[in-house]
Amino acid sequence: MTYVPTTRRDALQIAAVGATAAMTATPAQAKAGPSTLTFTEVGQGIDEMHHVPPGHTAQVLLRWGDPLSTDAPAFTPSAQSAAAQKKQFGTDCDFIGFLPLPLGSNASDHGLLCVNNEFVQSELALPGVTQKYDEARSKDFAEIEMAAHGHSIVEVKRVDGTWSMVRDSRYNRRITALDTVMTLSGPAAGHKRLMTRDDPTGRAVIGTLANCAGGITPWGTVLIAEENINHYFGGRLNGSAEDANHRAMDMTNEVYFNWFKYHPRFDLEREPHEPNRFGWMVEIDPYDPASIPTKRTALGRFKHEGAGFALAPDGRVVVYSGDDEVFQHVYKFVSTRTWNPTERAKNRDILDDGTLYVGRFDENRTLTWLPLVFGQGPLTQANGFNDQGDVLIEARRAAKLLGATPMDRPEEIVPNPVTGAVFLALTKNSKRKDTDAANPRAVNRHGHILELLPPGFEQGAPDHAALRFAWRPFIMAGDPQAPDSGAQYHADISANGWFSNPDNFTFDAQGRVWLSTDGAGDFGRSDGLWAADVTGSGRALSRKFFACPLGAEMTGPCFTPDGTALFCSVQHPGEVDGSTFDRPATRWPDFQEGVPPRSSVVVVQRTDGKPLT
Ligand code: FEO
Ligand code: CA
Ligand code: CA
């Protein structure tokens, strides 16, 4: 079926497909320049396929709807149900964590893939649906959407270079927005602003949603982020004491789901405290299929993008997290206790006790971490904070009162385990007028990457718990050839090497950064994955490694411990204006009539089995 573009933006994207004949650069280009990377770059164009360099394979490993057990129904797009979805891989895969099996090993052929399922493109996923929001959508459809959100844990194995799911693994598990019981822990647990009709304790909540990126803890659990929670709460603000708090979290703006019609806890008027039970970081132990996920309130409530882990020199645990909205902030949590590397159970509640800080970036390229502690500075009753729970529930307001720097949409913030520099993706902010040193471009449409440098970084002994860092730019994204773009890369950047809208990071064994993007489609190019040296003469010489199919962004890059396999999420293929279930812009990856486009985890390997480089 031919997709007919309905808007100028679609036409632009389709026109760009023509450019994909030159999708692959010549080998001569691949060898040029001082980069230590050796793969041949892929091109910037968009077509219906994904692209990786010659000498590599890209295996579609897990698709939305794939059954996770032998008693799970096959994916039937025309006859979906919440009951089936609860036993199938969720939608819109994002964060991927590879956790080796057995626990504590360094296995690279066997492990658990822990994958976030962030969202549902209902108009692409459900038959007959043609628009993002429709209050009349049925209860069955609402509950399919709820069951498709959350997280999927899947045992995977590699045999002779091919990966597969272990379909009847005891570890395979779906965690959903529909029915997974979770606990709230930490300083805000039991707070009266977390109590609802269904949960007078303020400590038990059903479900997680808008799970974007995440992180792997040093003790082998995953921490998954609750990001754009405002899409899920309907009804009106009705003058309750929570209205200003809900406005600060963008509630009532861009509501995409009518769940509140059938599950009144999502109705702002009826349950003004329910939104306060979302916007946290959720810890899951994938090695214990019966474990109850826990929302760790000590890490604050905002639109968490992900979680970047490091250990302080004394063994305290540091977690970095960005708040992904224009003019929001960058945070880090420092635990009170130290990590216990020999007794895993001793780390179970370590994230419940510690200090949350927010970043202030100064013109002299220093970064000061400001504590969000009740009673300190402006965080007092005079400003409406009665306890630490209030500070954590309204972390955004507390951060602004402390004088934190409003940033250009903080996405992932992840320490480079080799160099100790903390990479921060600022994806874009077209609303910026007043610039500052850390956000130096007005109308920042392409975004940028900063490196945050803890003291001790130069000596190879970074102190991630310190309260004063330095920082420096890594890349100012955008087309370096465009006049006045302000883009900055290594001087040898190729026509395929530049990018827009950085989002997620991972690092290889040499400390090189592999970064994914979300937004290139707005500029007629494919989102995907780029890699770059971070030190030496090839620093900031980014090179394009993976091109996404039409309409998709790339998320969740993650290596096996031996670096021979790279998992990544192709999220929302086919998402362009006018594309629907019945008339999708692409049917990637199945290309089968009646089957809609399906977000999928793809694993990329070299044909010779060696580590990617
Ligand atoms: Fe879900 Fe900030 O990307
Ligand atoms: Ca993201
Ligand atoms: Ca994003």
Side-chain angles (χ1 to χ4, degrees):
M1 188 174 94
T2 306
Y3 172 71
V4 181
T6 56
T7 67
R8 194 191 151 276
R9 182 180 143 192
D10 293 353
L12 192 71
Q13 293 193 332
I14 299 296
V17 172
T20 57
M23 206 73 196
T24 304
T26 65
Q29 276 174 286
K31 301 278 189 294
S35 174
T36 65
L37 292 154
T38 59
F39 63 80
T40 302
E41 281 192 274
V42 299
Q44 297 275 31
I46 310 177
D47 61 20
E48 288 193 56
M49 278 306 291
H50 55 280
H51 298 271
V52 293
H56 294 72
T57 58
Q59 180 192 348
V60 177
L61 176 59
L62 294 168
R63 300 165 297 182
W64 164 48
D66 281 346
L68 300 185
S69 58
T70 45
D71 71 340
F75 179 59
T76 310
S78 59
Q80 300 176 49
S81 71
Q85 179 63 80
K86 277 164 46 179
K87 295 180 174 182
Q88 297 167 337
F89 189 67
T91 47
D92 282 59
C93 41
D94 199 301
F95 166 75
I96 303 171
F98 177 85
L99 285 89
L101 281 171
L103 168 64
S105 76
N106 227 17
S108 287
D109 293 327
H110 189 198
L112 301 175
L113 280 190
C114 300
V115 185
N116 277 352
N117 301 115
E118 185 181 23
F119 191 74
V120 178
Q121 324 289 326
S122 303
E123 74 280 13
L124 281 168
L126 297 169
V129 173
T130 57
Q131 50 198 15
K132 276 215 174 306
Y133 180 72
D134 178 2
E135 191 164 330
R137 207 174 287 157
S138 71
K139 184 177 189 212
D140 283 350
F141 275 7
E143 293 189 348
I144 292 167
E145 292 164 344
M146 293 171 78
H149 274 75
H151 191 79
S152 302
I153 299 168
V154 187
E155 183 179 345
V156 293
K157 267 187 175 163
R158 175 167 57 183
V159 178
D160 296 334
T162 300
W163 289 86
S164 59
M165 172 203 316
V166 179
R167 184 147 289 155
D168 262 331
S169 167
R170 61 184 281 265
Y171 298 109
N172 290 359
R173 182 177 182 188
R174 281 299 321 284
I175 287 161
T176 76
L178 179 64
D179 62 356
T180 304
V181 174
M182 312 202 164
T183 56
L184 287 145
S185 72
H191 196 281
K192 63 179 187 296
R193 296 174 69 187
L194 299 184
M195 295 175 183
T196 63
R197 283 178 172 83
D198 292 341
D199 172 31
T201 71
R203 293 175 183 276
V205 58
I206 296 173
T208 183
L209 44 75
N211 304 100
C212 193
I216 302 173
T217 69
W219 49 96
T221 62
V222 295
L223 206 57
I224 68 171
E226 296 185 326
E227 192 195 36
N228 294 312
I229 63 167
N230 54 309
H231 295 329
Y232 303 85
F233 291 88
R236 284 173 304 179
L237 300 176
N238 63 355
S240 95
E242 295 291 344
D243 279 11
N245 170 34
H246 292 338
R247 278 196 197 93
M249 286 293 280
D250 213 21
M251 290 289 160
T252 74
N253 191 21
E254 291 193 322
V255 176
Y256 290 141
F257 300 97
N258 70 344
W259 302 354
F260 72 102
K261 272 186 66 179
Y262 311 111
H263 294 262
R265 66 194 179 100
F266 290 104
D267 186 334
L268 286 166
E269 291 172 66
R270 184 184 148 91
E271 280 295 3
H273 288 174
E274 187 71 8
N276 291 344
R277 294 142 62 85
F278 294 84
W280 305 103
M281 295 295 316
V282 188
E283 186 173 5
I284 303 169
D285 183 355
Y287 291 105
D288 178 1
S291 61
I292 295 173
T294 304
K295 299 196 180 190
R296 302 287 181 192
T297 66
L299 278 70
R301 175 176 171 267
F302 45 90
K303 293 188 179 180
H304 282 277
E305 168 68 22
F309 277 86
L311 290 172
D314 61 6
R316 284 178 293 162
V317 178
V318 180
V319 190
Y320 295 93
S321 190
D323 182 354
D324 183 7
E325 191 148 17
V326 292
F327 303 117
Q328 292 300 331
H329 309 108
V330 171
Y331 297 81
K332 78 167 177 182
F333 170 84
V334 181
S335 69
T336 303
R337 288 191 289 128
T338 58
W339 171 51
N340 187 322
T342 53
E343 290 181 81
R344 185 171 188 251
K346 290 259 168 72
N347 302 305
R348 190 169 54 212
D349 296 321
I350 202 168
L351 298 179
D352 283 343
D353 193 4
T355 305
L356 183 66
Y357 300 89
V358 66
R360 190 189 71 215
F361 294 76
D362 288 321
E363 298 295 309
N364 64 358
R365 292 198 175 176
T366 59
L367 162 59
T368 302
W369 294 103
L370 309 163
L372 278 80
V373 175
F374 172 67
Q376 291 189 16
L379 308 183
T380 62
Q381 287 184 327
N383 284 312
F385 298 102
N386 292 307
D387 51 37
Q388 184 64 16
D390 282 337
V391 171
L392 295 168
I393 291 166
E394 295 187 73
R396 283 184 163 184
R397 189 165 72 86
K400 295 220 179 290
L401 284 166
L402 287 167
T405 303
M407 308 295 285
D408 286 350
R409 274 189 64 187
E411 295 259 23
E412 266 207 315
I413 168 167
V414 186
N416 184 328
V418 175
T419 69
V422 183
F423 277 67
L424 167 62
L426 298 154
T427 199
K428 62 182 169 183
N429 182 358
S430 57
K431 293 186 175 156
R432 180 169 291 280
K433 294 191 180 107
D434 299 326
T435 60
D436 56 52
N439 303 277
R441 288 188 291 187
V443 194
N444 181 6
R445 296 171 70 219
H446 297 277
H448 56 290
I449 298 172
L450 303 181
E451 278 183 300
L452 318 183
L453 309 176
F457 161 76
E458 301 283 359
Q459 295 74 36
D463 180 1
H464 289 278
L467 300 187
R468 182 72 59 93
F469 283 24
W471 62 267
R472 65 187 179 195
F474 179 62
I475 281 174
M476 307 301 293
D479 180 357
Q481 300 294 332
D484 303 321
S485 72
Q488 289 173 20
Y489 303 82
H490 189 287
D492 293 349
I493 192 78
S494 77
N496 297 322
W498 62 273
F499 58 86
S500 304
N501 311 127
D503 196 333
N504 300 132
F505 299 119
T506 196
F507 300 92
D508 63 23
Q510 288 94 332
R512 294 177 299 203
V513 65
W514 298 67
L515 66 100
S516 63
T517 68
D518 169 17
D522 291 344
F523 307 105
R525 305 190 320 280
S526 50
D527 276 312
L529 200 65
W530 281 255
D533 288 333
V534 302
T535 57
S537 59
R539 175 177 158 86
L541 180 49
S542 47
R543 308 175 81 249
K544 190 166 187 177
F545 180 78
F546 189 110
C548 282
L550 177 67
E553 69 171 279
M554 174 131 285
T555 53
C558 169
F559 283 103
T560 49
D562 67 2
T564 60
L566 173 66
F567 301 97
C568 48
S569 292
V570 172
Q571 196 191 49
H572 58 70
E575 196 204 34
V576 294
D577 293 346
S579 179
T580 63
F581 180 94
D582 295 317
R583 216 163 146 266
T586 179
R587 295 187 186 278
W588 187 94
D590 303 280
F591 297 105
Q592 198 179 322
E593 195 61 30
V595 179
R598 298 204 268 174
S599 294
S600 300
V601 171
V602 174
V603 54
V604 184
Q605 301 176 106
R606 284 169 55 131
T607 49
D608 63 10
K610 291 182 176 168
L612 303 192
T613 184

